[in-house]
Amino acid sequence: MARTAEEAAAAGRPPSAVVASLMLGMALVALDSTVVATAVPQIVGDLGGFSVFSWLFSGYLLAVTVSLPVYGKLSDTLGRKPVLLFGMALFLAGSLLCALAWNMAALIAFRIVQGLGGGALQGTVQTLAADLYPLKDRPRIQARMSSVWAASAVAGPALGGFFAAYAHWRWIFLVNLPLAALALWMVGRHLTEPVRSPGRRGPVDWAGALSVFACGGVLLLALVQGGVAWPWLSAPSLGLVGAGILLALLVVRVERRAAEPILPGWVWRRRTIAAVNLALGALGLLMVAPMVFVPTYAQSVLGLPPVAAGLVMSVMTLSWPLSAALSQHVYRRIGFRNSAAVGITLAAAVLFSFTLLPQPGRPWQPVLVMLLLGAALGLFQLPLIIGVQSTVGWSERGVTTASVLFCRQVGQSVGAALFGAVANATLAARLAHAPMPGLPDRLDGVSKALDDSGLSPAAAGYLREAVAAAVDHVFLGATLAAVLALLVLLLMAPRTFPVLPEHREE
């Protein structure tokens, strides 16, 4: 007989079929972006739409981010299982629609549908991980989830390249169908939850959900497209920001009147949750440096091919889950906050060390930096997630987990806009004073210029130095974000997290 989530947590031995289905669901989300990125040239060649293909990623990211708070509250109100089943079914439907897309606009729209399903998967799987395991065993499941992301970072580009080269890009989405169907069946068959009394279920705040979705979508659209599709101070940017502010005021008004708000005020009134939200928002900010700019550095400065450049960044995902799994030995001795403080301090030092790499350098040097960064961030992130989930009960865990993931996603969007502007400004300033003509003035044109066989050795060397300077400035900004996270922990987070008695270790 299948055990309930509560019984499994009490026994410390959750059903293996449930754990396997959660890992499979997380793999669907983790593989998505890396698989699609590899096949972009084939997709554009087939469907066209080169000027808007970036929305394959931006649209998906927007949908995941703005839906996280909604799904978090729904999982606390309706239960984890219906939300997870809905997310898996929606992700499956979105994948099928993507495989059938007839032009780029349709593919982008269906990617947004996929993202709406991915938001339910990402938030609910993380919440169930805390439901299924007691505090002393929770690092085990979190390490498994981290290993899924690590494996996906390595396997995704290879899988996407294989389908694009030897089959068809549509198989990138079709392969999701049997995997999502299997995960859907396993969750439906094996996961059971305790029946909750009607008195504990408040009305669903649909007005709040729609207003949060609209506000988040508009503000994230301004961040994602500002400085890319239009200048920051242009009418579209200012109009979107203005509309976002008005919608934010509407969210506050609606949520204050709601009996069960999607974004309850206690998320920010409780010091522990507020501090973790801000700290992981800073994590999302600094993660843009290794994820976006290290591959560019590896290709443009070190001259590595695209696959090798991607591997330079992905080695970070090898040390991250190992460090996360071992972090329990640290936080059990010095506490959640102090463990995270040690991790982010080490991360700040590693990020700064990137700016000290010699030019021209050797590929093993950024590889070593990425390995050390992954180890530091594993020690930083996992204690905070486990700690904050342990300060709330079942009925608040979905909202709490969703708020943490939401802040990390928003931080990543802000970081992409901010550090993109820093890199472009640095590069433009260097190239404006170039001793030779004909060089690009934007980061996007660097790779093409370096591939130009007609570029003189002096011009190529100057261009590589300009890119290195731009990436160094980005890593300085990431270092400041790490310092900001450290200050948030030291000044806001309590020295000892208020873990609920039923979650304390024996």
Side-chain angles (χ1 to χ4, degrees):
M1 181 177 178
R3 285 174 289 154
T4 67
E6 295 295 325
E7 292 170 343
R13 297 184 302 275
S16 57
V18 173
V19 177
S21 65
L22 296 183
M23 294 179 67
L24 185 56
M26 186 63 75
L28 291 171
V29 179
L31 276 169
D32 185 80
S33 295
T34 55
V35 172
V36 175
T38 313
V40 162
Q42 288 74 22
I43 294 174
V44 172
D46 190 16
L47 299 181
F50 178 81
S51 61
V52 295
F53 82 86
S54 63
W55 270 98
L56 293 176
F57 308 98
S58 299
Y60 180 88
L61 175 65
L62 286 170
V64 169
T65 304
V66 300
S67 63
L68 276 169
V70 178
Y71 288 127
K73 183 61 181 179
L74 290 177
S75 75
D76 284 344
T77 304
L78 305 177
R80 322 289 188 223
K81 184 174 180 177
V83 173
L84 186 58
L85 290 175
F86 174 80
M88 288 179 171
L90 193 58
F91 191 91
L92 191 155
S95 298
L96 177 60
L97 290 171
C98 285
L100 300 175
W102 53 90
N103 58 32
M104 185 60 75
L107 184 58
I108 290 171
F110 298 148
R111 283 282 289 166
I112 293 174
V113 174
Q114 251 193 329
L116 294 175
L121 286 171
Q122 188 171 332
T124 311
V125 166
Q126 290 281 6
T127 305
L128 272 168
D131 289 344
L132 291 170
Y133 279 79
L135 178 57
K136 65 179 180 179
D137 295 325
R138 211 164 288 165
R140 187 192 315 165
I141 184 63
Q142 291 291 355
R144 290 182 184 179
M145 295 299 174
S146 296
S147 68
V148 169
W149 285 95
S152 301
V154 177
L159 188 62
F162 174 81
F163 282 129
Y166 300 105
H168 196 279
W169 63 263
R170 296 183 189 274
W171 279 99
I172 290 173
F173 301 106
L174 289 173
V175 76
N176 288 335
L177 303 185
L179 298 178
L182 177 61
L184 192 63
W185 177 82
M186 292 175 69
V187 170
R189 173 69 179 82
H190 296 285
L191 177 63
T192 58
E193 292 186 285
V195 178
R196 305 179 68 205
S197 63
R200 294 187 62 190
R201 289 191 179 187
V204 178
D205 179 22
W206 295 115
L210 290 174
S211 60
V212 168
F213 195 90
C215 177
V218 169
L219 289 176
L220 286 173
L221 176 61
L223 286 172
V224 169
Q225 293 297 95
V228 178
W230 47 69
W232 282 110
L233 297 180
S234 64
S237 281
L238 296 176
L240 285 171
V241 171
I245 293 173
L246 292 176
L247 286 170
L249 295 175
L250 176 63
V251 168
V252 173
R253 180 181 178 87
V254 170
E255 294 298 83
R256 282 182 173 177
R257 295 182 173 184
E260 293 287 341
I262 293 292
L263 289 176
W266 55 259
V267 169
W268 293 103
R269 287 195 296 269
R270 298 181 190 178
R271 286 178 56 199
T272 305
I273 301 175
V276 172
N277 283 344
L278 293 176
L280 290 187
L283 172 65
L285 189 72
L286 68 87
M287 281 299 296
V288 172
M291 291 176 60
V292 176
F293 290 93
V294 165
T296 299
Y297 173 88
Q299 290 185 69
S300 301
V301 179
L302 301 180
L304 298 179
V307 174
L311 290 176
V312 171
M313 182 274 294
S314 64
V315 295
M316 176 179 64
T317 63
L318 301 179
S319 56
W320 191 314
L322 179 61
S323 172
L326 297 175
S327 67
Q328 59 179 311
H329 302 294
V330 181
Y331 69 67
R332 286 175 178 172
R333 290 179 177 272
I334 64 175
F336 294 117
R337 189 199 74 165
N338 291 340
S339 297
V342 170
I344 199 62
T345 300
L346 295 174
V350 173
L351 288 165
F352 182 74
S353 72
F354 188 94
T355 67
L356 305 178
L357 294 180
Q359 302 298 336
R362 301 291 183 88
W364 66 265
Q365 294 167 335
V367 166
L368 178 60
V369 170
M370 291 300 100
L371 279 172
L372 294 174
L373 183 60
L377 293 179
L379 181 59
F380 166 68
Q381 178 181 259
L382 189 62
L384 291 182
I385 292 179
I386 291 178
V388 77
Q389 287 180 328
S390 303
T391 65
V392 295
W394 189 98
S395 62
E396 296 178 339
R397 193 175 294 143
V399 167
T400 300
T401 303
S403 71
V404 168
L405 298 177
F406 175 77
C407 288
R408 189 177 65 187
Q409 292 281 81
V410 170
Q412 189 172 333
S413 299
V414 172
L418 177 62
F419 291 147
V422 168
N424 283 339
T426 302
L427 195 57
R430 293 298 179 99
L431 296 180
H433 300 90
M436 66 285 294
L439 294 178
D441 58 357
R442 291 181 62 85
L443 200 59
D444 297 339
V446 169
S447 297
K448 183 178 179 180
L450 289 172
D451 289 338
D452 185 1
S453 58
L455 203 63
S456 68
Y462 186 87
L463 186 55
R464 289 190 178 93
E465 290 178 0
V467 174
V471 176
D472 283 348
H473 287 178
V474 168
F475 269 81
L476 283 175
T479 304
L480 292 177
V483 172
L484 177 62
L486 176 62
L487 292 176
V488 166
L489 291 177
L490 296 180
L491 299 178
M492 286 188 61
R495 184 181 299 273
T496 301
F497 279 23
V499 176
L500 294 183
E502 59 266 31
H503 297 296
R504 291 189 186 277
E505 296 179 285
E506 296 179 359

